Amino acid sequence: MPVFTPKPGRTAELRAALQDLQQTSRQDQGCLEYSVYACDERFVLIEGWDSQADLDGHNEQAHVQGFVRISLDLLAGPFTVTAITPVN
């Protein structure tokens, strides 16, 4: 579950970049869920994959690597990733 905090004044640009990433990533092999949510001035990504191999493949895609590159100018700091699992 990545959390993204924009630099001041860059919220709209980050939102647009995340929307593009969301739309494209939903087409990646094994994607079960890829949804971006706004929380105050931050964005949270909830993603689910059919397998670890599918997630690894997604992370190597050009659209993901492109987002990582442009995010350096949009984010207040590096984004954090926390793995979450359902409670059954």
Side-chain angles (χ1 to χ4, degrees):
M1 180 181 74
V3 177
F4 306 92
T5 303
K7 288 180 179 175
R10 306 300 295 268
T11 302
E13 291 171 85
L14 180 58
R15 178 187 295 269
L18 285 166
Q19 286 173 322
D20 289 344
L21 180 65
Q22 173 182 262
Q23 182 178 11
T24 306
S25 295
R26 286 179 173 170
Q27 304 307 309
D28 288 349
Q29 179 177 328
C31 182
L32 302 173
E33 179 179 5
Y34 206 91
S35 300
V36 178
Y37 297 89
C39 177
D40 299 323
E41 287 294 312
R42 294 174 295 165
F43 297 94
V44 177
L45 170 62
I46 304 296
E47 58 185 318
W49 297 92
D50 199 34
S51 69
Q52 183 63 46
D54 290 330
L55 172 58
D56 293 343
H58 159 75
N59 287 332
E60 295 300 320
Q61 294 292 320
H63 57 274
V64 175
Q65 296 299 313
F67 172 80
V68 170
R69 278 191 301 279
I70 67 166
S71 73
L72 297 174
D73 290 334
L74 301 176
L75 297 175
F79 60 87
T80 59
V81 178
T82 303
I84 59 174
T85 57
V87 176
N88 295 325

